[in-house]
Amino acid sequence: MPKPILEVENLTKRFGDFTALKDLTFEVEPGEVFGFLGPNGAGKSTTIKMLCGVLTPTAGRARALGFDLFTEADQVRQQIGYMSQKFSLLDDLTVGENLAYFGQLYGLEGASLKDAIQERVRELQLKPLVDLLVAGLSTGEKQRVALASSTLHRPKMLFLDEPTSGVDPLRRRLFWEAMDDLVKDGMTILVTTHNLGEADQCDRLAFIMAGELMAYGKPRSLKEEMGRQVLELRTEQFRALQRATQGIHQIISSELMGRGVRLSLAVNSNPDPVLADLRRQGFSFEATAPELPSLEDLFIDLVQQSRQKEGV
Ligand SMILES: Nc1ncnc2c1ncn2[C@@H]1O[C@H](COP(=O)(O)OP(=O)(O)O)[C@@H](O)[C@H]1O
Ligand SMILES: [Mg+2]
């Protein structure tokens, strides 16, 4: 195992009496795209802001690239890039002026600043935008400019806070391709999202909910650890079929999905007798082959667990 590029230990943040983040511990390995997943209010932005020095932690430790992020921040600042959820671009400056401004913030000047800007403009296809005011750009354009401005100094570790929220699937895919290019160049990326399709593309994930780490690992391992198989039964009688499945003890959960029912069974149980039982009850349906649960299944499970814990 390579030495982690980022180590976070028992990171905690309280705002007054409210605990926004509780004892968060995880590691990011060099060269990975690490996904930080969780519903709104989970504590994703709070975590990133503490790691990027924008917010002071209440307790806990974090090391990046061999330095303590809270006591030796000056030594690592130049090697970290941060794209905030609100992009923090300057609306009344042009794209070119924004890039120059952020490049200078990260310590670039003269020829190295000019070269860095040219390179980012080329790689992220910003040429037609350079002389336009940021205020008039679309969300997708702002996202590209924000990505460019947070990577001008070629950071080793990049934090992206919901970089693709509010754009269409095509723009989202293009943004992920741009991220892949950065990783090929040797960058490590921590990206927050609440999009499960994006989460599936990450090398590893941390799933947080109400400030607590709920699941942590490779997407495939997390699905396997659920110990389940899922299959869909397609039928016109989906409502009646779903009611019937609720009485069958081998079935862990059954949900309506489109014009069908999504069943979840223990990974080692045989679905055939269950299906035969339903057919004997008079239902006709087509069943898909059993497969691994999805991140959506995991997400629903975790939400239900956390509700049970809170007694909701
Ligand atoms: N400055 C603040 N003061 C008080 N509460 C805050 C502050 N910033 C964030 N919070 C609260 O902390 C929780 C986590 O917020 P945030 O990290 O923004 O979540 P996420 O990015 O996962 O949507 C939320 O309940 C939010 O309302
Ligand atoms: Mg956020």
Side-chain angles (χ1 to χ4, degrees), residues 80-84 87-90 95 97-106 108 116-117 120-121 124 126 142-155 158:
I80 287 178
Y82 168 45
M83 174 172 160
S84 82
F87 308 151
S88 345
L89 297 171
L90 305 167
V95 168
E97 288 164 346
N98 264 275
L99 294 176
Y101 172 79
F102 285 101
Q104 281 161 9
L105 274 193
Y106 284 120
L108 297 172
I117 293 177
R120 304 277 71 193
V121 163
L124 290 162
L126 299 175
K142 283 186 189 168
Q143 283 163 339
R144 265 152 59 216
V145 176
L147 181 64
S149 67
S150 60
T151 54
L152 282 164
H153 59 305
R154 294 271 155 190
L158 180 61

Side-chain angles (χ1 to χ4, degrees), residues 44-45 85 161-162:
K44 304 183 295 294
S45 295
Q85 195 170 349
D161 198 357
E162 295 203 26

Side-chain angles (χ1 to χ4, degrees), residues 106-290:
Y106 284 120
L108 297 172
E109 53 184 22
S112 57
L113 175 61
K114 233 177 117 190
D115 290 349
I117 293 177
Q118 269 178 7
E119 219 176 277
R120 304 277 71 193
V121 163
R122 184 170 42 78
E123 286 171 9
L124 290 162
Q125 287 114 49
L126 299 175
K127 190 114 205 223
L129 308 180
V130 168
D131 295 321
L132 301 182
L133 286 181
V134 162
L137 302 183
S138 71
T139 305
E141 289 166 342
K142 283 186 189 168
Q143 283 163 339
R144 265 152 59 216
V145 176
L147 181 64
S149 67
S150 60
T151 54
L152 282 164
H153 59 305
R154 294 271 155 190
K156 294 208 171 71
M157 173 93 226
L158 180 61
F159 293 90
L160 303 174
D161 198 357
E162 295 203 26
T164 61
S165 68
V167 294
D168 61 63
L170 177 64
R171 297 256 163 269
R172 179 171 282 159
R173 183 176 311 162
L174 292 173
F175 193 94
W176 274 73
E177 282 171 10
M179 276 170 48
D180 277 343
D181 290 340
L182 294 173
V183 169
K184 283 196 197 100
D185 273 3
M187 229 174 261
T188 303
I189 298 181
L190 185 151
V191 56
T192 73
T193 180
H194 46 235
N195 181 293
L196 297 167
E198 286 188 345
D200 239 327
Q201 294 176 54
C202 294
D203 295 305
R204 288 192 312 138
L205 293 173
F207 217 130
I208 60 171
M209 217 166 263
E212 289 190 62
L213 185 70
M214 307 290 286
Y216 172 50
K218 291 184 199 302
R220 190 179 172 88
S221 319
L222 293 176
K223 295 170 189 173
E224 284 169 355
E225 282 161 16
M226 290 181 76
R228 305 227 194 127
Q229 52 183 329
V230 295
L231 60 158
E232 278 170 40
L233 311 184
R234 305 210 174 107
T235 169
E236 289 303 311
Q237 313 153 273
F238 49 94
R239 285 180 206 285
L241 179 65
Q242 196 230 358
R243 275 194 298 275
T245 56
Q246 286 169 345
I248 300 178
H249 77 272
Q250 291 98 320
I251 295 176
I252 300 172
S253 74
S254 92
E255 290 160 53
L256 288 178
M257 255 192 72
R259 307 187 77 75
V261 182
R262 187 169 172 84
L263 294 186
S264 163
L265 288 87
V267 73
N268 52 8
S269 72
N270 179 1
D272 293 340
V274 174
L275 303 185
D277 182 10
L278 289 166
R279 288 198 168 99
R280 260 197 310 278
Q281 292 182 44
F283 291 103
S284 63
F285 51 80
E286 262 180 64
T288 61

